[in-house]
Amino acid sequence: MSAVCALRSRCFPRQVLLGLSAAMSRSYSLDVSAPLLRTQGYVDGRWVSAASVFPVLDPATGQEIARVADCGPAEAKQAVDAAYKAFHSWKQYTAKERSVLLRKWFDLLTLHKDDLAKLITFECGKPLRESLGEVTYSASFLDWFSEEARRVYGDIVPSPAKDRKILLLKQPVGVASIITPWNFPSAMITRKVGAALAAGCTVVVKPAEDTPLSALALAELAEQAGIPAGVFNVVPCSRETTPAVGQVLCTDPLVAKISFTGSTATGKVLLKMAADTVKKASMELGGHAPFIVFDSADIDKAVGGAMASKFRNSGQTCVCSNRFLVQSGIYERFVEKLGRAMDAELRLGHGSEPETTQGPLINTRAAEKVVHQILDAVSLGAKVLRGGKRLHGSFMEPTLLADVTADMLCTKEETFGPLLPVIRFNTEEEALAIANASNVGLAGYFYSQDVSQIWRVAEALEVGIVGVNEGLLSTPEATFGGVKQSGLGREGSKYGIDEYLEVKYMCFGGLKP
């Protein structure tokens, strides 16, 4: 009997599901220090109420954990006006002064990391260990850009004429609208805002409606750090109010720049809105990452990389591996080892439980999408080796599919859930053709010990981020961004701050030779 046939059980071992059973029999409450649990908008250094509120739910239990001000177009316009006013003074701060304030903000995030992690876990569902990791990652961008603030260098260019000097100056673009997703509710803000403030820009942040609490906690700590009024503004809003708020943030003439992380479809809408006033735009959009394992790979390391890349945040990251391509010579061994790793390492439950590795998906719509992809794949011949079932609420069993083909829905669209489909391939050329057959290109991964192959494949993959024998890639020192319809621009690294700068040419003439 082949290894694949031996694994054709759709059930996880009992211990994998025990954490979920325990979670559903307990009650959980969000316990953080009062100053960090903010529920009003933050505009021009003041906490502001709105005409109505909207609920924030714990996705693991469906219970309400807070009611937050539902800011509308009026509050959004107030925030833009405040940011515009503050820009004229903030840009006059020296680079060192901005650096010092960003560093103070970093220190406060580090000091309050436990409470910030609890907020993340309760509003987006990820395990507390991952939430603590996100807070560290979030703070690292403030640390990095506090240093980069002092390295915004211009150029002195040799002039063709003796009576003039040519200077290229870098200046902040102005007010930036920052629109962020729910899956990294803290880090996606600091990765953008750290660069913007370092450059001398001011910002208006619209956090995702599912996860406003982390953004408001960041505002509280920004105020404690001494960030001036109007420099950092937050306008939380409900799903229903989001289109009207987005309209203000993307069309107001006082906004010079928009930075968005989210779906490709939404990014296109925002770009169209921004086009009328020709705003500078950064877009970090959808991914559909291939994960290729060649015959020469170290299989154990490839399995470890697959586990880390696929199941972090229950598969809800834009750089999660979505399509697993395994060469035929090692296919059955890889699938067998991967199934055993899933049995041994994955535990479903509430994110605040220390043993939990897999929390819920963000909502029931997300779970329904995963179920739909599984049913489609099975109807076309895929085999469910692990999981395959939707559980309580928005919990999904981590699912392993074998005998997957490129005509199945899970290989054509981003999943954003704990579904791992494995495709068999024979040649390098075949793997690259499958991997590149997508209109998006954010991240890609592959495992190989053939040095020549490593160079060929790394250069041939049509993505903005490549992991070679590594499943976790993100760091503030490196660029983050994609090609094709995965977006525009880069975040992080020394290049991230350029997204918030303009280059001005200054010709200083009339000089005596």
Side-chain angles (χ1 to χ4, degrees):
M1 181 184 293
S2 74
V4 171
C5 290
L7 285 169
R8 284 178 182 170
S9 167
R10 297 185 60 167
C11 297
F12 264 106
R14 183 170 176 268
Q15 63 268 27
V16 176
L17 305 178
L18 281 178
L20 181 58
S21 299
M24 295 307 101
S25 64
R26 300 175 187 172
S27 67
Y28 297 88
S29 60
L30 176 60
D31 180 21
V32 300
S33 61
L36 291 180
L37 186 55
R38 291 288 189 172
T39 58
Q40 296 172 291
Y42 185 70
V43 176
D44 202 15
R46 296 177 293 107
W47 296 99
V48 299
S49 299
S52 60
V53 295
F54 66 98
V56 179
L57 307 180
D58 177 349
T61 64
Q63 295 176 347
E64 183 179 303
I65 56 176
R67 286 179 172 266
V68 174
D70 191 2
C71 294
E75 290 81 13
K77 176 58 177 170
Q78 290 168 14
V80 169
D81 290 345
Y84 185 74
K85 179 181 176 182
F87 171 65
H88 294 287
S89 57
W90 180 245
K91 69 179 181 179
Q92 299 300 330
Y93 277 53
T94 67
K96 183 175 182 179
E97 288 171 333
R98 293 196 296 269
S99 173
V100 167
L101 289 173
L102 285 170
R103 180 69 195 194
K104 287 180 179 178
W105 199 8
F106 161 80
D107 289 337
L108 287 168
L109 262 69
T110 303
L111 178 65
H112 294 283
K113 64 181 179 181
D114 291 333
D115 278 348
L116 294 172
K118 290 177 187 176
L119 287 173
I120 292 170
T121 288
F122 271 82
E123 65 179 350
C124 88
K126 70 175 61 173
L128 191 58
R129 282 179 291 179
E130 289 191 19
S131 296
L132 284 165
E134 179 179 344
V135 175
T136 299
Y137 183 51
S138 176
S140 73
F141 286 104
L142 300 180
D143 181 32
W144 173 259
F145 285 114
S146 74
E147 297 169 346
E148 288 301 293
R150 302 180 68 180
R151 300 189 181 98
V152 178
Y153 304 136
D155 293 291
I156 298 176
V157 180
S159 172
K162 294 181 179 181
D163 65 344
R164 67 194 62 186
K165 297 293 183 183
I166 296 175
L167 294 85
L168 303 180
L169 312 177
K170 290 187 178 180
Q171 297 182 316
V173 298
V175 176
S177 292
I178 307 294
I179 304 174
T180 56
W182 51 263
N183 58 336
F184 284 87
S186 181
M188 294 303 94
I189 293 175
T190 58
R191 191 163 71 188
K192 300 172 186 293
V193 170
L197 268 59
C201 296
T202 56
V203 300
V204 179
V205 177
K206 195 217 82 68
E209 62 273 9
D210 295 300
T211 56
L213 301 179
S214 292
L216 296 170
L218 287 175
E220 168 63 30
L221 295 180
E223 185 175 88
Q224 291 183 26
I227 304 293
V231 172
F232 182 76
N233 306 274
V234 182
V235 284
C237 61
S238 64
R239 182 179 301 274
E240 292 73 23
T241 312
T242 289
V245 170
Q247 181 81 19
V248 172
L249 297 183
C250 293
T251 62
D252 193 293
L254 300 183
V255 173
K257 156 89 179 181
I258 60 172
S259 180
F260 169 72
T261 295
S263 72
T264 298
T266 301
K268 291 177 180 179
V269 172
L270 301 184
L271 282 171
K272 288 176 182 177
M273 287 196 290
D276 281 346
T277 46
V278 196
K279 300 188 190 305
K280 193 177 177 77
S282 298
M283 296 276 147
E284 195 268 280
L285 307 177
H288 191 36
F291 187 105
I292 308 171
V293 187
F294 291 101
D295 281 343
S296 68
D298 181 316
I299 296 179
D300 291 332
K301 289 183 178 178
V303 167
M307 292 290 292
S309 174
K310 177 73 262 185
F311 294 114
R312 184 168 60 118
N313 199 17
S314 299
Q316 299 173 112
T317 84
C318 51
V319 292
C320 268
S321 297
N322 215 59
R323 300 166 289 157
F324 289 77
L325 291 74
V326 181
Q327 201 156 10
S328 54
I330 59 168
Y331 183 89
E332 293 190 350
R333 281 186 291 156
F334 177 84
V335 170
E336 179 182 13
K337 286 175 178 277
L338 182 58
R340 290 176 180 172
M342 291 172 67
D343 293 343
E345 298 176 25
L346 303 182
R347 297 290 182 275
L348 287 159
H350 193 283
S352 63
E353 295 289 345
E355 298 301 315
T356 296
T357 67
Q358 300 290 286
L361 301 191
I362 189 63
N363 52 41
T364 55
R365 295 188 305 278
E368 289 165 0
K369 179 180 181 181
V370 178
V371 170
H372 179 61
Q373 289 192 358
I374 293 170
L375 293 175
D376 171 79
V378 170
S379 73
L380 294 174
K383 303 296 189 298
V384 179
L385 305 185
R386 289 292 188 279
K389 299 176 184 176
R390 180 178 171 186
L391 304 172
H392 176 86
S394 60
F395 280 92
M396 277 295 307
E397 284 185 330
T399 300
L400 174 61
L401 298 180
D403 299 341
V404 173
T405 56
D407 59 341
M408 296 174 184
L409 194 59
C410 59
T411 71
K412 295 179 179 180
E413 65 179 29
E414 189 175 26
T415 301
F416 241 62
L419 172 59
L420 198 160
V422 188
I423 302 170
R424 187 193 301 263
F425 73 90
N426 293 311
T427 67
E428 179 182 313
E429 292 75 17
E430 180 188 358
L432 285 170
I434 296 171
N436 290 335
S438 173
N439 62 1
V440 295
L442 183 55
Y445 309 82
F446 69 95
Y447 278 71
S448 171
Q449 296 188 83
D450 180 333
V451 175
S452 296
Q453 182 177 66
I454 286 172
W455 282 110
R456 288 195 305 270
V457 174
E459 293 183 346
L461 281 174
E462 296 171 358
V463 295
I465 305 168
V466 180
V468 182
N469 298 326
E470 181 55 61
L472 294 176
L473 309 177
S474 299
T475 179
E477 292 82 3
T479 55
F480 193 101
V483 300
K484 299 181 178 179
Q485 294 185 35
S486 279
L488 303 168
R490 293 295 181 266
E491 295 183 341
S493 82
K494 69 176 183 178
Y495 299 105
I497 201 168
D498 289 340
E499 299 291 328
Y500 298 89
L501 295 167
E502 298 282 14
V503 178
K504 176 182 286 184
Y505 163 38
M506 173 182 168
C507 180
F508 188 176
L511 302 177
K512 295 180 180 179

